[in-house]
Amino acid sequence: MANNIESSIKTASSLEKKKQYSAKSSNLNSSPTVGVTNFTAIAESAEFKALKRKKNKFILPITIFFLLSYILLPILTSYSTILNNNAFGDIAWVWVYALALFVMTWVLCMIYVRRANDFDKEAEKIFEKEKAGDYK
């Protein structure tokens, strides 16, 4: 009896693999089949384009701010003496600026993770909408 169950499981899994292989090897330009995600339709949808615009509006400014902040430290220390002055006690402004860069990195990382979770939720809604057959 156990051998019969094993052979039926093997047969079922091999049939499933054949179905998956045939679905992958079918022509991508043909009409979408059941269970296959139509990524072209998703990419052309207004919701996906709006999500990309929103994501780019967030990522571009935060990236520019991050890079300028980091590039500014070696420029200010190499070509000026503005950061050589003492901020308080014997601690110079360069140390304050360098420590602020670490804090800024962690803060930007936390902000990005929160926003990325929101973007993922919106992307999941778009994916679920495609699964429901709304993008044809």
Side-chain angles (χ1 to χ4, degrees), residues 17-136:
K17 287 180 184 178
K18 286 179 184 178
K19 285 181 186 178
Q20 289 174 354
Y21 178 74
S22 64
K24 287 180 184 177
S25 64
S26 67
N27 188 358
L28 294 176
N29 293 330
S30 65
S31 63
T33 58
V34 176
V36 176
T37 304
N38 189 355
F39 292 105
T40 305
I42 292 174
E44 293 171 356
S45 70
E47 293 93 354
F48 182 74
K49 289 178 182 179
L51 177 62
K52 278 181 55 177
R53 272 193 304 275
K54 191 187 315 184
K55 188 175 175 183
N56 287 338
K57 281 183 181 180
F58 170 71
I59 290 176
L60 186 63
I62 207 167
T63 302
I64 290 171
F65 174 73
F66 177 82
L67 291 175
L68 285 178
S69 298
Y70 267 90
I71 291 171
L72 194 58
L73 179 63
I75 290 172
L76 288 176
T77 57
S78 298
Y79 300 108
S80 75
T81 58
I82 195 165
L83 295 178
N84 292 347
N85 300 328
N86 290 343
F88 46 89
D90 288 334
I91 299 174
W93 281 108
V94 68
W95 290 106
V96 174
Y97 189 92
L99 182 64
L101 288 178
F102 282 100
V103 173
M104 178 202 63
T105 301
W106 281 100
V107 169
L108 290 179
C109 182
M110 288 186 291
I111 291 170
Y112 176 78
V113 167
R114 286 187 186 137
R115 291 293 301 266
N117 288 334
D118 294 338
F119 295 142
D120 288 345
K121 288 176 187 173
E122 288 184 46
E124 187 63 32
K125 287 179 186 176
I126 293 170
F127 187 69
E128 291 298 323
K129 189 175 178 182
E130 196 282 329
K131 279 185 177 178
D134 291 346
Y135 299 122
K136 295 288 178 185

